[in-house]
Amino acid sequence: MSTPSDSGPGESVRPDGVVPGTPQVPACYRHPNRETYVSCVRCGRHACPDCMRSASVGQQCVECVGEAARSTRRATTTFGGRPAASAVVTWTLVAINVAVFLVTWVRPGIVNNLAMLGRASYTLGGPVHGVAAGEWYRLITSAFLAPATGLNGLGFVDILFNMWALIFVGPSLEGLLGRARFLAVYLVSAVGGGVMYYFLAPPYDPAVGASGAIFGLFGAWFVVSRRLRLDTRGIVMLIAINLALSFFFHNIIAWQDHIGGLLTGALLTAAYAYAPRKSRAVIQVLATVAVVALIVVAVAIRNGQLNAGGL
């Protein structure tokens, strides 16, 4: 015998207990056990509060929000970098330079191990030091040195001018180029200045200071100003005055480092600023690699010259 059901005439009950034709409470499409009457304004699917995100109009499910984020073009700076709310790289470089200055003030002896030096011996008949002796790191470590005593003798004047110049042009340039490109210009210019000094200065004369990197930023600012059709007279005057001072005080200022940094910064920034938009990121990376490769080749050539001559 059949057992009468509670359903009305003509109705049958499904195995899951649901009576066909009766209204069902909507559930979250990701969590079927959660009842909800809220639906996504884009796709119409019901979703619980954990699966919904506020939108400009109504609410959207997490899938629609993710799809919109993937389809939205990422904001970039004028020359392709990622926008930044603050000049983090600039102030970090200032902090590092000042910190190293204080360290060398307390322990001036470490300058001999980090200063730019072509090839020389600190003692008669002692071991040879310098870039030609395999100490390539001096090309970059020297750019963060500004000892209060010894070497160029500029002391506080050197660190004050360089940090003032970095603060003067750094934040604006970092905002235009983006953090990564700005840092690349700074560091590559520092090394480029060291390479020019390596070729033109006596290999036994040590040098320190961030001037090569600073002049690289001057060159970068000039290129950016030209690209944006801004007035360049101010930066040209600043470069001219500082180059004149470099040549006038050539006995205590490494003018070779200044020129090398200026040319390197201008060249690399030109590649960043004039790269076509369609393939800008690729060209900028390749340009950076190419400049670094040229520096490596130049250093290898100079190493061969000094070591072959026994200088």
Side-chain angles (χ1 to χ4, degrees):
M1 294 179 61
S2 61
T3 303
S5 65
D6 293 335
S7 59
E11 294 181 344
S12 61
V13 180
R14 291 187 349 209
D16 58 3
V18 177
V19 178
T22 59
Q24 300 298 310
V25 177
C28 175
Y29 75 100
R30 298 179 69 196
H31 305 97
N33 61 330
R34 298 183 184 180
E35 298 179 355
T36 179
Y37 287 93
V38 181
S39 60
C40 175
V41 295
R42 292 189 64 183
C43 66
R45 290 180 293 190
H46 288 85
C48 66
D50 291 339
C51 301
M52 279 292 191
R53 300 292 183 267
S54 298
S56 56
V57 179
Q59 292 184 315
Q60 297 180 12
C61 64
V62 291
E63 271 75 11
C64 289
V65 171
E67 182 181 348
R70 289 189 296 270
S71 61
T72 301
R73 186 174 181 179
R74 182 174 63 89
T76 60
T77 63
T78 306
F79 302 112
R82 182 173 299 179
S86 58
V88 174
V89 176
T90 298
W91 291 109
T92 300
L93 290 171
V94 171
I96 292 173
N97 277 278
V98 173
V100 174
F101 173 77
L102 295 176
V103 170
T104 57
W105 195 11
V106 176
R107 298 187 60 186
I110 67 173
V111 175
N112 289 336
N113 299 323
L114 302 176
M116 177 57 205
L117 183 69
R119 189 178 189 277
S121 177
Y122 293 129
T123 60
L124 184 62
V128 177
H129 293 278
V131 178
E135 298 171 348
W136 288 50
Y137 58 85
R138 291 175 179 269
L139 290 166
I140 187 64
T141 57
S142 60
F144 289 92
L145 293 174
T149 59
L151 294 181
N152 56 22
L154 294 179
F156 283 100
V157 176
D158 189 33
I159 189 71
L160 285 176
F161 170 78
N162 286 333
M163 293 306 99
W164 168 83
L166 179 55
I167 295 171
F168 180 71
V169 301
S172 298
L173 197 56
E174 183 177 345
L176 290 170
L177 295 177
R179 291 174 179 173
R181 291 162 181 79
F182 173 76
L183 181 61
V185 170
Y186 185 92
L187 295 178
V188 176
S189 297
V191 177
V195 172
M196 183 71 77
Y197 182 85
Y198 190 31
F199 268 87
L200 301 181
Y204 47 80
D205 280 350
V208 296
S211 299
I214 298 301
F215 269 80
L217 297 186
F218 288 166
W221 187 252
F222 172 78
V223 171
V224 166
S225 299
R226 293 286 297 178
R227 182 69 176 88
L228 299 178
R229 298 181 180 179
L230 302 176
D231 189 357
T232 59
R233 288 176 294 181
I235 188 62
V236 169
M237 184 64 67
L238 183 62
I239 293 173
I241 292 175
N242 282 279
L243 284 179
L245 291 174
S246 301
F247 288 112
F248 186 78
F249 296 103
H250 64 275
N251 57 325
I252 59 174
I253 296 179
W255 58 268
Q256 304 92 334
D257 186 49
H258 294 181
I259 294 178
L262 179 67
L263 294 177
T264 304
L267 176 63
L268 187 56
T269 306
Y272 292 167
Y274 289 93
R277 183 180 297 271
K278 185 176 181 179
S279 54
R280 181 165 55 189
V282 175
I283 293 177
Q284 290 172 342
V285 171
L286 292 177
T288 306
V289 173
V291 172
V292 172
L294 287 174
I295 288 175
V296 171
V297 172
V299 173
I301 292 174
R302 183 57 173 164
N303 285 350
Q305 293 174 347
L306 293 181
N307 290 325
L311 297 176

